[in-house]
């Protein structure tokens, strides 16, 4: 029987325009869903919008619209954005839909019939922004989650017997898979251990919500309404046979993906509601951190969201997907900046995967008329060929483990550092462009093996990266003549499946390089869009702490005196920052015989360096090579291009430069001292 897999994003409030924080949760889920489909699971991926409650009612009022008009507009923005981003959700639920409303009422009835709902009076503080009852707060107190002033509520309400579930919940948390990561699990355990009070689950002082069955003066608490979407979208409470089937098949959810600020609702209230209704519990609730906007751009006016559309217009969806999952350690907070985005795009996509694909496939076109060449039989393969093959196998395993643990950044690091960088090095060392110029049989055979091996490694990297970058990888797959990447059976991925003699498709660059103007363009687009309007006060995009500026100047140490014979002190030497870098791009500078323009990754950034080594080194031979650069040299211009650092080389007689290198493997960014 086919395994099923059901994954959900939270449903998004319709009081805020979509931004890259929302996109982050959605991208993470989409990646998992796509991976599961390739693994053969019958996958259901749900997202949607959360449209009821006092917060939305007030936002609509402020905009001069009815809540429904307001919800329709913003819900459509989310819907359209996900379409544009190629998000592969199977359904998009809106909590104002009839199907949802009826089924939530059914859930309420069931919990009530099971004896877990009673009527009482609530007097206490409520945070409208978080739609949260703040236990123990006094009038004037601030919401512990968003910091806004709470409002005093005194109403007759329906209460849910949350206190009855304290022990059962603690038992549930004993399973480490239930809440991830562990830090969140511990937080929840300590909250529940401190004691649970019954929860008010209806409101009667406003009307924008789902009426309580048999008592329509009350509307159902918006979090009960919203959480229930995970059930209602797949058919819970429906009388239709098809919907009932779907519910039986997909529930319980395999993964609820959420941001860390809504952990309590998902890990305490939600399982308690489900237990009260006698329904099965989700298998895993995974909480990610917040995306913060680059510190220098932070503003208190809350106008600091970054719209997803801006990035889509300039770099495309795959660039954003890759950046967010590669840069942010899943579960922790991470900063977003346009500079970092463009830098990653150029170093990992344009120069990394994109460059590997275009040079491998272009050489197959040039030297083998566009057909995947036949490698030499196993016995005549070199150690390097075998090493690469083994490394690829290891990466397949590591990547699988990392994806399964939601460690997206680790999975991508495996593909890029564990495989793509190694193929680059393999190509540089085997110099297929030199072999390609020779006609003898031995060189032809070696060339065939080198290009086959590179193409096979490229195929594996592409397959593994597909869930993160569905569009670009599909293009590379088609360029390799492999057809539709969605048909790939990921569970069987292994070295050696690239069919020999495959005719390549059209080869073209998948990630054109972005220049500096891309950053300016995106910044301008955002500046034009930014409005000082406060949208969602609890939104973390506006909550990132601004780095405190250094108040005092660092103490300047008194330099030790230089020796009289001209030798320098250790302090003088320490001023020179020598770092290990790896060459990502190398090209000749037009009309300058000696100069090469290099882009060198020094771990923290990619530097453009101009080096007078063109007579000694062919640019292709330098890609992937580790070099030493003087990283803190003041920039200077040569032939109109800025050089930001200097490569260290010995100068032989006659002026021929020889680049400094290492016998042992050294990590990029390592400092020489
Ligand atoms: N409507 C509730 C969820 C109900 S689910 C039954 C809600 N909506 S939200 O629009 O405020 O947030 C939806 C998701 O977007 C959350 O997982 C939240 O963490 C995520 N993000 C919103 N801004 C974010 C960042 N700046 N960074 C990362 N994720 C962020 O909560």
């Amino acid at each position: 029987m086919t395994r099923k897999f059901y994954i959900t994003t939270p449903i998004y409030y319709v009081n805020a325009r979509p931004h890259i924080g929302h996109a982050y949760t959605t991208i993470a889920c989409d990646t998992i869903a796509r991976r599961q489909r390739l693994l053969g699971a019958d996958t259901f991926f749900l997202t949607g919008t959360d449209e009821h409650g006092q917060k939305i009612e007030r936002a609509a009022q402020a905009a001069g619209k009815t809540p429904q008009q307001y919800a329709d507009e913003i819900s459509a923005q989310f819907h359209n954005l996900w379409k544009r981003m190629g998000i592969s959700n199977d359904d998009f639920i809106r909590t104002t839909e009839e199907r949802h409303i009826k089924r939530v009422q059914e859930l309420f009835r069931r919990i009530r019939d099971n004896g877990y709902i009673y009527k009482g009076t609530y007097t206490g503080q409520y945070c409208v922004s978080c739609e949260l009852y703040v236990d123990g707060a006094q009038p004037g107190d601030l919401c512990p989650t968003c910091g806004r002033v709470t409002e005093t509520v005194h109403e007759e309400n329906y209460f849910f017997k949350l206190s009855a579930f304290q022990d059962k919940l603690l038992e549930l948390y004993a399973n480490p898979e239930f809440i991830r990561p562990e830090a969140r699990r511990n937080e929840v355990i300590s909250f529940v251990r401190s004691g649970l009070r019954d929860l008010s689950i209806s409101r009667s002082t406003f009307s924008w919500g789902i009426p309580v069955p048999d008592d329509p003066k009350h509307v159902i608490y918006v979090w009960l309404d919203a959480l229930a979407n995970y059930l209602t979208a797949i058919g819970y409470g429906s009388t239709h046979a098809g919907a009932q089937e779907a519910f039986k098949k997909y529930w319980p959810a395999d993964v609820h993906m959420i941001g860390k600020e809504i952990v309590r609702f998902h890990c305490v209230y939600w399982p308690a509601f489900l237990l009260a209704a006698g329904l099965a519990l989700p298998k895993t609730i995974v909480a990610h951190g917040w995306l913060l906007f680059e510190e220098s751009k932070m503003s208190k006016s809350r106008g600091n969201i970054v719209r997803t559309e801006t990035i889509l217009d300039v770099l495309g969806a795959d660039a954003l997907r890759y950046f967010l999952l590669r840069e942010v350690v899943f579960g922790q907070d991470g900063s977003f900046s346009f500079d970092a985005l463009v830098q990653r795009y150029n170093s990992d996509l344009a120069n990394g995967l994109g460059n590997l694909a275009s040079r491998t496939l272009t050489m197959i076109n040039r030297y083998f008329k566009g057909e995947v060449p036949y490698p030499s039989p196993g016995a005549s393969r070199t150690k390097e060929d075998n090493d690469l093959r083994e490394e690829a196998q290891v990466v397949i395993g590591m990547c699988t483990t990392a994806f399964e643990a939601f460690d997206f950044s680790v999975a991508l690091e495996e593909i890029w550092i564990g495989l793509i960088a190694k193929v680059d090095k393999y190509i540089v060392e085997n110099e297929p462009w030199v072999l390609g110029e020779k006609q003898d049989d031995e060189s032809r055979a070696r060339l065939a093996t080198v290009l086959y091996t590179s193409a096979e490694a490229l195929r594996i990297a592409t397959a593994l990266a597909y869930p993160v970058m569905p569009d670009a990888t599909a293009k590379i797959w088609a360029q390799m003549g492999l057809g539709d990447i969605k048909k790939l059976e990921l569970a069987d991925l292994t070295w050696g499946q690239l069919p020999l003699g495959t005719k390549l498709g059209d080869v073209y660059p998948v990630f054109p390089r972005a220049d500096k103007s891309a950053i300016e363009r995106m910044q301008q687009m955002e500046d034009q869009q930014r409005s000082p309007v406060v949208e969602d006060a609890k939104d973390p995009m506006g909550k990132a702490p601004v780095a405190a500026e250094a108040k005092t100047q660092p103490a300047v140490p008194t330099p030790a005196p230089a020796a009289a014979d001209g030798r320098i002190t250790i302090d003088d030497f320490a001023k020179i920052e020598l770092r290990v870098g790896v060459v990502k791009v190398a090209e000749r500078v037009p009309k300058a015989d000696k100069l090469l323009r290099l882009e060198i990754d020094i771990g923290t950034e990619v530097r453009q360096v101009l080096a007078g080594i063109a007579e000694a080194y062919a640019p292709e031979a330098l890609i992937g090579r580790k070099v030493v650069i003087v990283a803190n040299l003041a920039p200077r211009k040569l032939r109109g291009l800025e050089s930001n650092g200097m490569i260290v080389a010995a100068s032989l007689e006659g002026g021929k430069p020889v680049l400094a290198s290492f016998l042992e493997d050294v990590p990029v960014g390592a400092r020489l001292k």
Side-chain angles (χ1 to χ4, degrees):
M1 216 179 76
T2 315
R3 177 175 60 91
K4 69 88 189 174
F5 188 84
Y6 177 31
I7 180 164
T8 66
T9 71
I11 46 173
Y12 298 95
Y13 280 131
V14 292
N15 72 324
R17 282 178 295 181
H19 56 66
I20 60 166
H22 302 120
Y24 181 52
T25 315
T26 316
I27 288 168
C29 288
D30 190 59
T31 298
I32 299 171
R34 285 178 184 274
R35 211 179 144 266
Q36 287 296 333
R37 290 191 195 105
L38 290 195
L39 290 172
D42 175 350
T43 304
F44 196 89
F45 167 24
L46 177 67
T47 188
T49 42
D50 184 355
E51 307 184 7
H52 288 130
Q54 201 166 10
K55 169 159 76 166
I56 312 284
E57 191 182 71
R58 286 186 185 171
Q61 223 167 24
K65 296 182 176 152
T66 66
Q68 191 64 59
Q69 281 171 336
Y70 190 72
D72 287 348
E73 279 170 25
I74 298 191
S75 177
Q77 289 180 18
F78 277 100
H79 190 267
N80 296 339
L81 180 62
W82 301 154
K83 277 222 141 28
R84 224 191 124 189
M85 282 183 66
I87 297 297
S88 64
N89 54 301
D90 296 284
D91 198 353
F92 184 98
I93 185 136
R94 300 185 52 188
T95 55
T96 51
E97 284 174 72
E98 200 54 31
R99 61 169 171 160
H100 176 75
I101 293 172
K102 287 209 172 115
R103 296 171 190 180
V104 169
Q105 289 176 325
E106 176 53 32
L107 179 69
F108 191 98
R109 266 191 213 102
R110 188 153 163 189
I111 299 176
R112 189 174 58 193
D113 292 350
N114 287 348
Y116 291 107
I117 291 176
Y118 63 93
K119 227 176 189 179
T121 303
Y122 180 83
T123 304
Q125 300 306 116
Y126 189 77
C127 171
V128 177
S129 177
C130 297
E131 300 281 13
L132 171 74
Y133 293 94
V134 186
D135 289 340
Q138 301 300 316
D141 279 359
L142 305 182
C143 168
T145 304
C146 73
R148 306 192 120 200
V149 180
T150 54
E151 297 180 17
T152 305
V153 174
H154 177 75
E155 304 175 333
E156 185 188 58
N157 289 150
Y158 285 94
F159 280 81
F160 171 68
K161 287 190 189 165
L162 183 62
S163 56
F165 293 94
Q166 181 160 345
D167 293 342
K168 283 204 187 92
L169 288 172
L170 288 171
E171 267 169 43
L172 189 62
Y173 307 147
N175 168 10
E177 301 282 290
F178 188 67
I179 304 172
R180 299 164 84 154
E182 204 188 340
R184 301 287 155 232
R185 176 168 159 253
N186 294 339
E187 203 176 282
V188 172
I189 292 177
S190 99
F191 173 77
V192 173
R193 274 208 189 118
S194 70
L196 292 177
R197 288 171 49 174
D198 289 351
L199 179 73
S200 166
I201 50 160
S202 73
R203 300 289 314 270
S204 56
T205 49
F206 69 97
S207 60
W208 184 237
I210 300 181
V212 166
D214 316 315
D215 196 354
K217 277 201 325 285
H218 295 258
V219 291
I220 296 176
Y221 175 40
V222 65
W223 269 101
L224 173 52
D225 164 353
L227 286 160
N229 91 88
Y230 302 136
L231 300 173
T232 62
I234 52 165
Y236 169 81
S238 168
T239 47
H240 295 287
Q244 286 173 350
E245 260 313 284
F247 181 67
K248 244 173 62 202
K249 172 156 82 172
Y250 290 115
W251 191 256
D254 292 85
V255 177
H256 287 318
M257 175 78 70
I258 58 170
K260 65 180 182 181
E261 79 285 11
I262 52 177
V263 160
R264 187 190 309 174
F265 302 101
H266 282 81
C267 302
V268 182
Y269 301 168
W270 182 228
F273 292 149
L274 290 168
L275 286 167
L279 291 166
L281 299 171
K283 293 187 190 145
T284 303
I285 301 167
V286 189
H288 62 69
W290 286 345
L291 217 55
L292 313 168
F293 195 42
E294 53 180 336
E295 288 167 348
S296 57
K297 291 273 188 282
M298 288 304 293
S299 82
K300 284 199 185 115
S301 65
R302 306 299 326 254
N304 70 338
I305 60 168
V306 177
R307 293 172 327 123
T308 310
E309 291 85 340
T310 296
I311 300 164
L312 299 188
D313 286 349
V314 176
L315 295 177
D318 280 356
L320 177 64
R321 294 170 72 105
Y322 177 79
F323 176 80
L324 294 182
L325 296 183
R326 172 74 172 84
E327 197 84 359
V328 182
V329 175
F330 206 70
Q332 296 177 16
D333 292 351
S335 291
F336 176 84
S337 79
F338 289 118
D339 294 38
L341 170 68
V342 169
Q343 196 164 307
R344 269 264 176 235
Y345 173 86
N346 279 334
S347 68
D348 293 13
L349 302 184
N351 300 340
L353 179 61
N355 187 40
L356 173 64
S358 71
R359 67 176 172 159
T360 305
L361 303 181
T362 305
M363 283 192 277
I364 293 180
N365 266 340
R366 186 181 313 146
Y367 302 126
F368 292 97
K369 300 204 180 81
E371 283 180 12
V372 174
Y374 285 58
S376 310
S380 58
R381 279 191 214 126
T382 65
K383 178 172 174 328
E384 295 152 297
D385 303 338
N386 291 332
D387 283 353
L388 195 60
R389 175 197 183 109
E390 269 165 33
E391 267 147 13
Q393 287 301 140
V394 170
V395 167
I396 294 173
M398 305 278 264
C399 205
T400 304
T401 312
F403 271 127
E404 269 161 23
F406 306 99
D407 281 336
F408 300 98
S409 60
V410 175
L412 292 173
E413 216 174 276
E414 283 298 334
I415 306 173
W416 261 257
I417 298 174
L419 190 54
I420 294 177
K422 302 244 168 84
V423 197
D424 279 341
K425 186 164 170 260
Y426 171 86
I427 294 178
V428 168
E429 285 171 0
N430 285 283
E431 301 183 313
W433 48 88
V434 174
L435 294 168
E437 299 311 311
K438 299 183 182 161
Q439 302 306 328
D440 61 291
D441 288 353
E442 202 183 317
S443 301
R444 281 298 287 176
R446 182 71 200 135
L447 179 64
T449 302
V450 170
L451 289 183
Y452 167 83
T453 307
S454 309
E456 179 54 345
L458 167 67
R459 184 186 70 88
I460 289 176
T462 306
L464 293 173
Y466 161 80
V468 176
M469 294 193 295
D471 186 46
T473 51
K475 287 180 182 150
I476 297 175
W477 206 252
Q479 294 187 12
M480 295 186 80
L482 296 170
D484 182 0
I485 197 165
K486 288 204 201 96
K487 300 210 173 111
L488 166 73
E489 290 179 11
L490 198 54
D492 299 333
L493 183 69
T494 184
W495 187 276
Q497 293 162 325
L498 175 61
L500 304 176
T502 304
K503 183 95 191 93
L504 301 187
D506 287 343
V507 175
Y508 56 91
V510 174
F511 298 110
R513 269 190 71 73
D515 57 29
K516 271 199 173 152
S517 71
I519 302 175
E520 281 150 32
R521 248 181 310 148
M522 287 190 282
Q523 259 155 2
Q524 270 165 13
M525 284 160 87
E526 282 306 284
D527 289 346
Q528 278 161 12
Q529 282 288 332
R530 240 165 235 161
S531 74
V533 177
V534 174
E535 288 197 50
D536 178 359
K538 106 175 192 298
D539 193 285
M541 276 296 204
K543 276 186 76 184
V546 182
E549 277 179 24
K551 296 250 164 38
T552 50
Q553 291 294 321
V556 182
T558 323
D565 60 3
R567 283 179 293 166
I568 61 168
T569 66
I570 190 79
D571 293 333
D572 289 330
F573 176 68
K575 287 184 200 149
I576 304 170
E577 191 186 335
L578 293 170
R579 286 204 182 271
V580 177
V582 60
V583 178
K584 291 291 184 181
V585 172
E587 61 188 18
R588 293 182 194 282
V589 175
K591 297 194 199 122
D593 295 345
K594 290 194 176 157
L595 273 190
L596 289 185
R597 187 187 79 81
L598 306 173
E599 285 178 30
I600 301 176
D601 184 351
I602 57 165
T604 47
E605 60 186 298
V606 178
R607 292 283 186 85
Q608 171 168 285
V609 174
L610 299 172
I613 55 172
E615 287 171 333
Y617 292 91
E620 307 83 33
L622 286 173
I623 294 170
R625 175 156 180 166
K626 298 237 173 97
V627 292
V628 175
I629 93 162
V630 183
N632 61 342
L633 202 66
R636 61 185 184 138
K637 277 207 164 169
L638 293 166
R639 304 266 168 174
L641 294 166
E642 189 171 279
S643 182
N644 231 316
M646 187 182 90
I647 288 207
V648 178
S651 185
L652 299 190
E653 246 173 74
K656 184 178 179 244
V658 177
L659 293 176
S661 57
F662 299 91
L663 289 177
E664 283 88 0
D665 202 19
V666 278
V668 169
R671 184 153 184 197
L672 280 76
K673 44 190 178 180

